[in-house]
Amino acid sequence: MTSSTSSIEQHTDERAIADLQREHGKALFGFLLGLTYGDRQRAEDLLQETLVRAWQHPEALASDHDSMRPWLFTVGRRLAIDARRARRARPHEVGDGVLEQSALPDDHEERSVTALDVRRAVKALRGEHREVLTQVYFRGRSVAEASEALGIPAGTVKSRTYYALRALRKVLPGYGRDAA
């Protein structure tokens, strides 16, 4: 077997990819549209990348599964997660106009004192309240992501967050909404 033959055999037949798109494309696009919060362009890009992965992995099509849909949905979901993480990791670009109009930073000493007060108050919270605040506020996770990370139901994350913030308001007088 020559190297040119083996490189051809490493990709899925184009007709098989066309059949995959015809059979699963609409459902996969709808699924990806939901994962991208209605962003059609991103969903189309993810659909195309999912089909490219199917083309690059002929062994997936050669499996004895009844349907390729679960494999396609899993690949699409993972690609959507990776794309979201990449967007979140990259800082937002701002133009000169935004920088000129932005407010000057607050007094450094005041921010430092506030940070120390908040740290002390958070340390004083019950462990489960501290864990939830760490996930939701300090790591920027959604309720669903915090729920998964902590292994507790989303409703529990919401209620613990509510009670943790309530407890913080009690120990941090002057920092709440009423302080201004």
Side-chain angles (χ1 to χ4, degrees), residues 5-16:
T5 307
S6 65
S7 67
I8 292 172
E9 292 177 355
Q10 292 178 2
H11 294 101
T12 304
D13 177 34
E14 290 179 24
R15 285 176 295 186

Side-chain angles (χ1 to χ4, degrees), residues 68-166:
M68 285 301 299
R69 190 169 285 194
W71 186 87
L72 290 168
F73 276 52
T74 300
V75 170
R77 181 178 158 275
R78 289 180 179 163
L79 289 170
I81 290 168
D82 291 346
R84 182 169 183 249
R85 286 180 179 156
R87 280 191 313 279
R88 288 176 63 189
R90 194 172 111 200
H92 295 284
E93 296 177 13
V94 295
D96 292 338
V98 172
L99 293 175
E100 291 169 3
Q101 295 175 3
S102 64
L104 293 174
D106 293 338
D107 180 27
H108 178 70
E109 291 173 16
E110 185 178 327
R111 284 186 303 172
S112 296
V113 169
T114 301
L116 288 172
D117 288 346
V118 171
R119 266 195 200 131
R120 281 188 205 115
V122 169
K123 283 182 182 178
L125 293 174
R126 292 176 39 199
E128 64 264 12
H129 290 160
R130 192 172 42 250
E131 288 176 337
V132 167
L133 287 184
T134 299
Q135 294 295 320
V136 174
Y137 286 99
F138 300 118
R139 293 197 176 141
R141 293 187 171 156
S142 68
V143 170
E145 291 167 336
S147 168
E148 186 176 323
L150 297 171
I152 58 176
T156 304
V157 170
K158 289 178 186 179
S159 66
R160 285 183 183 173
T161 301
Y162 171 81
Y163 288 111
L165 291 174
R166 197 167 107 179

Side-chain angles (χ1 to χ4, degrees), residues 2 11 67 126 172:
T2 65
H11 294 101
S67 173
R126 292 176 39 199
L172 289 171

